[in-house]
Amino acid sequence: MALDKKKRKRDATRDGDDDRGPNLNGVTGKKQRLYTQEDAVFAKIYQDLAHEVGDVRLDAAKTLLDKLSSESAPDAEVFAKVLKRLIRGLCSSRKAARSGFFVALTEYFRLKNLQLPGESSTNKVEYIIQQYVDEGTTVEGGASSQEKRDHAIGRMLAYQAMIESRFVFEAQDSERLWKVTLQRIFSQAKNTRWLREEYCSVINNCIPELAREGRIADFINDILAAMMEQHMEHTPEGIALWLTAQNSGSNLSYPEGVWRKRDPLNKHERANVIRIMKSGAGNELKVEEGTPKSHSKGNQTRLGFAWNVLIGTVLSRTDQGMGQAGSKPEKNFKALWKELIDDFLFAENASAERKSLGLQLLSSTITTCPAWAISSILSRNIMRCIVNHRSDSQRLLHAAAKTPLDKIKNRVLSQPETSGPLLNALFFSTQTVNLDGLTKTKTIGDVLQEVDAQFLPEILDHIENLVVEHSGRHQELSDPDTNRRGFADMLLALVRGRSINLDEEWPRHLYEMLLKLSYFDQVTSPRVPISKTVRDIFRSRLLSCINHMVSSGAMASRICFDVISCLKQTRDNEDYTALLQADASIELSLNRAIETVDTMNQQVSSNEAASSQSPILNAFACLYTMTILRVYNEEPDAVSMLEEIDTAYRAVGESKGSVDEAFDLLVEVLLGMVSKQSALSRKLAEQAFAVIAPQLTHSALESMFDILAQKENVAGQNALFDADDGGHDAVDGLSGSDVEEVNEEQLIDDNGESESEDEDSSEEENMASDVSGENDEEEMQRLDASLGEILKTGRSGADEEEEATDDESMDDEQMMALEPYLTKIFQERKKASSKKKDNKDAKDMMINFKNRILDLLTIYAKQQYSRPLTLELILPLLRLISSSLSKQLSDKAGNLLGQYFELCGKKKEGYPKVEEPEDVWAQLETVLGEVSRNNSKAYQNMCSRSSLFLVKVLVYTGDDDPKGQKAQQTLVRGQDMFSGLQKQWMLNPKLEIHINLFQNWIGWCNDMRKAR
C-alpha cells in the first residue's frame, strides 16, 4: 500500500500536477515560488492536453501555441519551461497525455520565434537533444520497470516530433544535426529492441518526403550509413529501410558487402530475407558495454511496417516486369508469398498471435495489390484460416478474421474491375460458393448488390465459367452439384437485391446465361456434366427471376421480349443444342408461339400497336413467354396450354369491338384459365392479370364479382358453367388440390400469403352438412320403407319376421315377380348417392374457384389501391363474408379488405380521390344497411372498418385539409347516417348490430376532434 502511494506521488509529479497551485496548507518548504494567474492558465492547458476527448486536446494545443506566439512575446525562460513540461508529458501514461502532448510538442518545434537560454544558431537542435530530451526522459535510480518503459516511449516520441515538425531539416547546420539525430535514434533502436520498430518507422516515413525534395545525397545516404554503424542491416527494419531508400531514387551510395548486387530482393538473397523476416533479426546485435540487453515482453500483436514494405516492393517490381517478353516475374512473388506468408503466418500449427499478424498483412495487401496477384494472395491456407475462425464465435480471431473480408468488399466497390478475379479467387480457395454462410458475413452478397451495374456482365461471365467449366483448376471444387445450386441461388439473390433497370446490359446477360444453363447443352461438354437436378434448379430460378422483375415494376413485355429473343438466339447458335426432344407438332407450336412474340415485339417497337392495346400485348407476351419456358421444362399440359393461349390471342385480335371489350374478353380468358385443374394455368393467369391490372375496367371487375356472388352448391355451379359441356370438367378441375405443385418462388408476389385450399371445418359448413345429411337420411328411409313393404321385411314388420316360419318363405315365381320393383328401388338408391357426391363436388368447386378469384383481386388491390375503381371491391367482399359457408373463404376475403385499408392508410395520398362523392355515399349507405345481415363478429367488425374507411375517403377527397369546411360537412353527414342507424337499432330489438360499430365511429370522431 505504501508502494502504491509513492507511485501515485511520483506520477503526479511527472505529469505536472505540482504546477496546479501553491501550498495551501501553510507548510513552508525551502522556498516557495509565487503561483500566478499565468501559471494557472498553463496548468489548465497541461491538464486538457491529457483529456480523453480529442477536440479538448486540440483546443488546448491551440491555446498553448497562442501563448507562445510572437504576439504574446514570451521570453526564453517560458519556452524552456514549456519544453520541459511537454517532454515530461510524453513520459506519462495518464489518460491520453501522450497523444495530446505529442501534438503540442510537434507544433512547438514549428514556432518561428522559438528561443532557449544559452543556445547558439549552430547548436540549437543538438543542445535541445542533449539537455532537454535526454535529461527529461532519463529516469532516476530505483525507478520501476513501468517508469523506465514510459520514459523510453517519451524519448522516442520526442525524436518523432522533431522529425515530423521538420525542425531538424530546417536548421542552419541541418546535415550535421541530422547525422547526430540519426546516431541517437539508431542507438536507441539497437539498445531498446521493443521500440526498434517504432524508431525505424519514423525514419522510414520521412524517406519519401526527402526524396521528393531532392535531398537523396544529403540525407538519405546518411540513413544507410547510420544503420550500418549500428549493425542493423540484417533486421526486418533494416531490410525495409534499404528497400524504401532504394525505391526513392537511383543516386544512392550503397554500403558494400551487404546484399548481392546491393539488392535484398535478389533471387540469391530470398532465403536469407525469408529467414530474417521469420526470426525477427538475422544477426544478434552488439550492444554497448554496461547496457543490459532489452527484450520485448509479451507477444507481438501489431504487424511491423517492414512486412508491408517488403510485400509492397515485391508486388511493385513484379508488376513492372509483367510486360517484358519471356519473363514470368509473378513466379518470384508467388514463391515468396507461399513460403513467407502462406506456410509461415498461416500455417496450420501457427499460433493465434502469428495468424493475427497474417490477417493484418492480408488486410493491407488485398486493398492495393494488382489483379494478377489476387489468386496467390487469397490462397487456400489463408481462406481456411478465415473460414475456421469466422464459423465459430468462440475462436480468438473471430472478429479479426472479418477485417480482410470487409477490405475485399471495399476493394470491389472502389475498383469494380477487380470483382471478377476476387470472386473467382474466393470461390476457388474456399472450394464452395457458400462463403457468406460459412463466415457469417455478407461479403459475396454485398459485392453483388453494391457493385456498379456496368461490371455485372463481367461478374456473370465469371460465374458462368465456374458453373460450366467445372474442370481444370476448378475440378477440385467439392461437390459440383452443391456448388452449382449455390450459384443458382446467388443469381436469384442478385435479382432480388437490386433495382431493375432494363436499359442496363446485365439483365439480358442474365437471361441468356440462365437459358443456356437450363435448356441447352454445349457442343463441347464440360468434364463434369450438369445434372438434370441442377438444370431443374436453374429453370426454377429463371422463372423466379422473371416473376420478380415483373412484380418489381419493370415493363413485363420488354422482359418477355428479351427472354424470347435470347432463347431464339441461343437456339440458332451452332455451339448449343437444345435438351428438349420434341416431335414435329410440338416444334410447330413452339415456332408459331415464338414468332408471335417476335411479331408483338416488332409492333411495340415500331409503335404500330395503339397505346390502348399495349397492356393486352403485354399480358399475352407474358402468357406466351412463361408457357414457352414451361414447354422447355417438359411440363405435361404446357403444350395444350400454349395452343389455348394462341387461340385466345387470335380471338382477341380478331374481335372488332372496343378496347374495353378486348379487356373484358382477356379477363374472361384468364378466368377460364384459373378454373382449370393445372397449377400452371393458374399461375400464368395471375402473372398476366398483374400486367393488365392498371387498365382493368368496371365490367371486368363485375364479371369477377358475379362469381363471388354465386352460391356454393350445384345451383351456383350451373349458373357459371354449362352443365352439359363444361360442368363436369370444371368440377374435375377445381375439386381438391391441384395436381401439380408450384414452387413458392414462382408466385408473382413474393411477400404474399400462401394459398390454402384445405377442406374447411367451420360451423357454417357443419350446419350445411347436417341439413344435407338429414335430407339424405330421409330419402334412404323412404327407399328402405318401400323395399320393406315389397319384401314384407320393413322395419315395422320386424316382429312378424321373427315369428315367420320356413313354410312362409317366397317361392321362385314370387321372387321373379318382385324383380322389376327391386331394380327400380336400387336405381333410386344409386341416384341418391350420386346426387350427394355431386353436391359435395359442386361445393368444393365453388369454394376453390372463389379462392382463386380472391387471389386475383388481391393482386389488383395491392397494385391499384389508390384507384377509385378499387372501392368497388368492398361490397362484394362484405357479402361474401356474410354468405359464404366456408370460414376459410370468409377469412381470406376479410384479410383482403384489411390489406386494402392498410395500404391506403399508410399515408394520406393513398386514399382514392373519387370524382363522384355521391357514389361513395350510396356505397356507405348500403354498407350500413347490410350490417344486420349477419351477426357474426368478423362480419360486423369488417362492416365497421369499411364504413370508417369510406368516410375517410370522402374526407380526404372533399378537402386536402381534414380541418377544412368540406371535411366538416362530410363528418356531419356521416354522423347523421350513423345516428339514423343507431336510432333504428335502439327502437328495434330484433336488429342485430354489435355495439362496437357505434363505439368505433365515436372513437374515430374523437380522434378527429382532438386533431383539430
Side-chain angles (χ1 to χ4, degrees):
M1 189 66 181
L3 183 61
D4 291 341
K5 291 181 179 179
K6 291 180 181 180
K7 182 177 179 180
R8 285 196 295 270
K9 180 178 180 181
R10 210 162 34 234
D11 289 341
T13 304
R14 185 174 67 243
D15 292 349
D17 293 338
D18 54 334
D19 294 334
R20 293 181 182 177
N23 190 343
L24 302 179
N25 295 327
V27 181
T28 59
K30 294 181 179 179
K31 183 178 181 180
Q32 274 197 311
R33 181 179 63 82
L34 184 62
Y35 188 79
T36 64
Q37 183 65 29
E38 190 72 10
D39 293 333
V41 173
F42 276 103
K44 179 66 167 61
I45 292 174
Y46 300 144
Q47 186 72 18
D48 289 343
L49 284 176
H51 203 279
E52 294 173 341
V53 179
D55 292 340
V56 176
R57 296 196 300 268
L58 292 178
D59 292 340
K62 293 177 183 178
T63 305
L64 178 63
L65 295 177
D66 292 339
K67 289 291 183 181
L68 300 176
S69 63
S70 301
E71 291 77 4
S72 301
D75 56 17
E77 293 295 336
V78 174
F79 277 109
K81 182 179 179 181
V82 171
L83 179 58
K84 290 181 181 179
R85 183 64 188 84
L86 292 178
I87 293 175
R88 195 163 66 235
L90 294 178
C91 301
S92 172
S93 58
R94 179 173 63 90
K95 296 183 179 180
R98 287 197 180 106
S99 177
F101 280 88
F102 174 78
V103 172
L105 183 61
T106 303
E107 297 302 322
Y108 173 92
F109 286 131
R110 289 173 178 165
L111 292 172
K112 300 299 183 182
N113 60 327
L114 178 61
Q115 54 182 328
L116 293 171
E119 68 170 309
S120 64
S121 59
T122 60
N123 200 35
K124 181 184 295 184
V125 176
E126 185 176 4
Y127 177 78
I128 293 173
I129 290 176
Q130 292 177 349
Q131 183 172 348
Y132 289 94
V133 176
D134 290 351
E135 292 182 2
T137 57
T138 301
V139 295
E140 302 173 355
S144 65
S145 59
Q146 181 61 42
E147 286 182 304
K148 293 179 181 179
R149 190 178 184 89
D150 290 340
H151 281 72
I153 295 175
R155 178 173 297 184
M156 185 271 298
L157 292 174
Y159 286 131
Q160 182 179 352
M162 292 170 59
I163 293 176
E164 290 187 2
S165 66
R166 302 191 59 79
F167 187 58
V168 175
F169 306 116
E170 295 176 359
Q172 293 182 2
D173 193 9
S174 58
E175 293 185 16
R176 185 177 69 86
L177 298 178
W178 173 241
K179 291 180 181 179
V180 173
T181 303
L182 287 175
Q183 291 174 357
R184 294 181 176 277
I185 287 178
F186 279 110
S187 176
Q188 291 295 323
K190 181 185 70 173
N191 296 324
T192 315
R193 287 187 57 184
W194 57 277
L195 281 177
R196 181 191 304 164
E197 199 268 338
E198 285 76 9
Y199 273 114
C200 293
S201 177
V202 172
I203 302 299
N204 185 79
N205 292 337
C206 72
I207 292 178
E209 187 174 355
L210 293 173
R212 284 193 296 268
E213 296 175 358
R215 297 187 175 187
I216 295 177
D218 297 337
F219 293 97
I220 299 181
N221 284 329
D222 295 335
I223 295 176
L224 298 180
M227 180 182 67
M228 292 293 296
E229 290 179 4
Q230 301 297 332
H231 307 287
M232 293 184 59
E233 64 275 13
H234 286 157
T235 64
E237 294 77 18
I239 294 175
L241 290 173
W242 190 292
L243 291 176
T244 304
Q246 202 172 42
N247 295 335
S248 63
S250 58
N251 300 323
L252 291 175
S253 299
Y254 295 101
E256 298 293 337
V258 181
W259 305 103
R260 292 192 183 185
K261 297 184 180 182
R262 296 177 298 182
D263 186 8
L265 298 184
N266 185 276
K267 62 181 180 179
H268 299 291
E269 296 286 0
R270 190 176 71 189
N272 191 25
V273 170
I274 291 176
R275 177 181 58 81
I276 292 173
M277 297 300 295
K278 285 183 177 180
S279 62
N283 298 331
E284 190 64 38
L285 302 181
K286 299 178 181 179
V287 297
E288 299 177 358
E289 295 183 3
T291 302
K293 189 182 297 184
S294 177
H295 296 281
S296 175
K297 294 185 178 180
N299 295 319
Q300 184 179 359
T301 59
R302 184 167 60 88
L303 184 71
F305 76 97
W307 290 85
N308 286 321
V309 172
L310 175 64
I311 298 300
T313 303
V314 174
L315 283 172
S316 177
R317 293 189 186 181
T318 305
D319 196 44
Q320 294 175 2
M322 291 291 289
Q324 300 178 4
S327 65
K328 295 183 178 180
E330 67 274 13
K331 287 186 176 181
N332 296 328
F333 169 75
K334 292 180 179 179
L336 177 67
W337 182 270
K338 185 177 188 307
E339 187 173 354
L340 184 59
I341 311 301
D342 204 15
D343 295 341
F344 177 64
L345 295 181
F346 288 98
E348 188 173 357
N349 59 348
S351 64
E353 290 78 10
R354 190 188 299 174
K355 290 179 179 178
S356 175
L357 299 179
L359 291 173
Q360 295 176 45
L361 179 61
L362 175 64
S363 299
S364 60
T365 304
I366 200 65
T367 305
T368 57
C369 69
W372 58 263
I374 292 176
S375 59
S376 300
I377 292 174
L378 296 178
S379 62
R380 290 190 176 181
N381 257 355
I382 292 177
M383 293 309 300
R384 172 186 53 79
C385 174
I386 292 176
V387 170
N388 288 343
H389 283 276
R390 286 300 305 167
S391 60
D392 185 2
S393 59
Q394 302 299 320
R395 290 288 190 103
L396 187 63
L397 301 179
H398 177 75
K402 186 175 181 293
T403 303
L405 298 177
D406 293 337
K407 296 291 185 181
I408 291 173
K409 181 175 66 175
N410 295 335
R411 172 78 183 271
V412 173
L413 297 181
S414 61
Q415 301 177 11
E417 64 276 7
T418 62
S419 57
L422 279 169
L423 292 176
N424 199 10
L426 289 175
F427 295 146
F428 173 67
S429 58
T430 57
Q431 303 184 36
T432 180
V433 299
N434 190 29
L435 177 65
D436 289 354
L438 294 176
T439 59
K440 300 177 182 178
T441 62
K442 296 182 179 180
T443 305
I444 304 297
D446 288 345
V447 166
L448 292 177
Q449 305 310 327
E450 298 179 17
V451 71
D452 194 271
Q454 63 176 325
F455 297 98
L456 281 177
E458 181 182 355
I459 294 178
L460 293 175
D461 286 338
H462 279 281
I463 294 178
E464 183 177 3
N465 291 334
L466 288 171
V467 173
V468 177
E469 298 179 5
H470 205 283
S471 57
R473 68 187 292 258
H474 302 301
Q475 67 183 352
E476 301 176 7
L477 290 175
S478 59
D479 193 1
D481 281 1
T482 300
N483 285 289
R484 285 166 170 166
R485 186 181 298 111
F487 283 122
D489 294 336
M490 188 182 301
L491 294 175
L492 179 59
L494 168 65
V495 174
R496 287 179 170 174
R498 298 183 68 93
S499 59
I500 308 300
N501 184 0
L502 298 181
D503 292 330
E504 296 171 346
E505 182 184 355
W506 72 269
R508 183 179 176 89
H509 207 91
L510 178 66
Y511 307 148
E512 186 175 356
M513 172 185 170
L514 289 174
L515 286 169
K516 291 176 182 178
L517 297 175
S518 300
Y519 306 118
F520 297 91
D521 201 357
Q522 283 184 318
V523 176
T524 56
S525 300
R527 295 184 185 179
V528 182
I530 302 177
S531 64
K532 184 180 183 303
T533 303
V534 173
R535 290 195 186 275
D536 289 340
I537 292 173
F538 276 109
R539 293 171 182 178
S540 174
R541 299 301 178 266
L542 172 61
L543 296 176
S544 299
C545 289
I546 296 175
N547 287 340
H548 179 78
M549 289 182 178
V550 172
S551 62
S552 64
M555 187 179 297
S557 60
R558 184 171 174 183
I559 294 173
C560 296
F561 293 150
D562 288 344
V563 170
I564 295 302
S565 175
C566 293
L567 178 66
K568 186 177 180 181
Q569 181 180 351
T570 308
R571 192 178 63 168
D572 296 339
N573 193 335
E574 296 180 354
D575 295 334
Y576 294 91
T577 57
L579 297 173
L580 177 65
Q581 301 296 326
D583 55 26
S585 61
I586 296 178
E587 285 289 346
L588 181 63
S589 298
L590 278 174
N591 292 336
R592 184 170 60 247
I594 292 175
E595 291 300 327
T596 301
V597 176
D598 193 33
T599 302
M600 291 181 189
N601 189 12
Q602 294 176 6
Q603 291 177 355
V604 173
S605 301
S606 60
N607 296 323
E608 293 181 5
S611 59
S612 58
Q613 292 287 342
S614 296
I616 298 177
L617 293 180
N618 292 343
F620 275 107
C622 182
L623 288 174
Y624 270 114
T625 301
M626 303 304 288
T627 310
I628 289 171
L629 294 181
R630 284 177 165 87
V631 171
Y632 274 94
N633 287 347
E634 302 181 30
E635 298 184 16
D637 57 345
V639 177
S640 61
M641 181 60 60
L642 187 62
E643 294 174 352
E644 292 180 11
I645 293 172
D646 190 65
T647 302
Y649 173 69
R650 301 188 187 285
V652 171
E654 294 172 358
S655 64
K656 298 181 180 180
S658 63
V659 176
D660 289 345
E661 292 178 357
F663 269 106
D664 295 344
L665 180 57
L666 178 56
V667 171
E668 292 296 334
V669 171
L670 298 180
L671 293 180
M673 293 176 66
V674 299
S675 68
K676 294 184 179 296
Q677 177 183 11
S678 171
L680 164 64
S681 173
R682 175 161 55 95
K683 292 307 166 189
L684 289 176
E686 290 179 358
Q687 292 163 352
F689 185 83
V691 174
I692 65 170
Q695 287 78 27
L696 212 61
T697 62
H698 169 76
S699 57
L701 282 178
E702 283 295 331
S703 63
M704 303 172 72
F705 297 155
D706 289 342
I707 298 173
L708 296 180
Q710 298 299 327
K711 297 181 179 180
E712 296 158 9
N713 53 24
V714 175
Q717 174 187 316
N718 292 336
L720 292 179
F721 301 97
D722 185 357
D724 295 331
D725 297 334
H728 295 292
D729 294 338
V731 173
D732 294 338
L734 287 168
S735 60
S737 59
D738 290 331
V739 172
E740 303 175 21
E741 293 183 359
V742 179
N743 194 319
E744 285 185 358
E745 293 167 344
Q746 298 177 15
L747 293 177
I748 192 162
D749 184 0
D750 294 320
N751 297 325
E753 297 180 355
S754 60
E755 300 179 18
S756 175
E757 299 181 359
D758 298 333
E759 298 290 337
D760 59 78
S761 57
S762 64
E763 296 179 1
E764 292 87 345
E765 286 183 286
N766 291 336
M767 293 173 61
S769 300
D770 293 341
V771 173
S772 176
E774 291 176 1
N775 293 335
D776 294 337
E777 183 66 22
E778 292 177 359
E779 181 67 17
M780 295 303 296
Q781 290 178 0
R782 185 182 63 81
L783 293 175
D784 286 345
S786 300
L787 181 62
E789 184 178 352
I790 295 173
L791 299 176
K792 302 299 182 180
T793 58
R795 289 191 180 95
S796 59
D799 295 337
E800 297 178 2
E801 183 181 358
E802 294 178 0
E803 298 175 357
T805 62
D806 295 338
D807 296 335
E808 295 176 346
S809 301
M810 294 183 181
D811 55 20
D812 293 340
E813 292 182 359
Q814 291 176 324
M815 291 295 295
M816 292 297 293
L818 292 176
E819 183 177 357
Y821 299 100
L822 294 175
T823 301
K824 182 177 180 180
I825 290 175
F826 284 120
Q827 287 177 346
E828 292 292 333
R829 295 189 67 172
K830 183 177 180 181
K831 183 177 179 181
S833 177
S834 177
K835 182 178 179 181
K836 180 179 180 181
K837 182 178 182 300
D838 290 343
N839 286 332
K840 183 179 183 302
D841 291 343
K843 175 186 174 183
D844 293 340
M845 172 266 174
M846 292 300 298
I847 290 176
N848 289 328
F849 196 12
K850 290 183 179 182
N851 265 304
R852 295 175 185 179
I853 298 299
L854 290 179
D855 292 335
L856 298 181
L857 293 177
T858 301
I859 295 172
Y860 179 76
K862 287 183 177 181
Q863 286 190 11
Q864 307 297 319
Y865 61 89
S866 61
R867 189 179 175 191
L869 185 62
T870 315
L871 291 172
E872 297 187 8
L873 270 63
I874 296 177
L875 279 174
L877 292 177
L878 286 177
R879 289 165 181 167
L880 178 64
I881 296 173
S882 173
S883 62
S884 177
L885 300 178
S886 169
K887 185 177 184 301
Q888 179 267 336
L889 197 62
S890 299
D891 292 343
K892 191 169 187 177
N895 291 335
L896 197 163
L897 280 176
Q899 292 179 19
Y900 172 48
F901 298 156
E902 290 175 2
L903 287 171
C904 293
K906 285 183 178 179
K907 51 185 178 179
K908 184 177 67 174
E909 292 78 6
Y911 287 98
K913 302 295 184 181
V914 296
E915 296 180 358
E916 297 293 338
E918 290 301 323
D919 294 340
V920 182
W921 284 114
Q923 194 173 7
L924 175 60
E925 185 177 2
T926 305
V927 171
L928 295 178
E930 295 185 2
V931 173
S932 58
R933 288 183 54 177
N934 190 319
N935 65 349
S936 67
K937 183 178 181 181
Y939 171 73
Q940 298 216 353
N941 179 60
M942 195 52 63
C943 285
S944 175
R945 292 186 63 184
S946 301
S947 59
L948 288 177
F949 173 76
L950 291 174
V951 174
K952 292 176 184 178
V953 170
L954 290 166
V955 168
Y956 290 120
T957 297
D959 195 340
D960 291 336
D961 183 11
K963 302 178 183 179
Q965 182 177 2
K966 291 184 178 180
Q968 293 181 8
Q969 294 175 356
T970 300
L971 291 174
V972 171
R973 185 172 176 180
Q975 178 63 46
D976 292 341
M977 296 181 69
F978 274 89
S979 298
L981 180 62
Q982 185 178 6
K983 185 184 298 183
Q984 297 178 24
W985 170 71
M986 180 181 63
L987 298 177
N988 186 2
K990 295 182 179 180
L991 199 63
E992 297 181 348
I993 300 178
H994 290 192
I995 193 173
N996 291 339
L997 177 75
F998 308 110
Q999 291 176 342
N1000 293 338
W1001 165 255
I1002 294 174
W1004 181 76
C1005 290
N1006 185 50
D1007 294 338
M1008 294 293 291
R1009 178 174 172 271
K1010 290 180 179 179
R1012 296 176 183 276

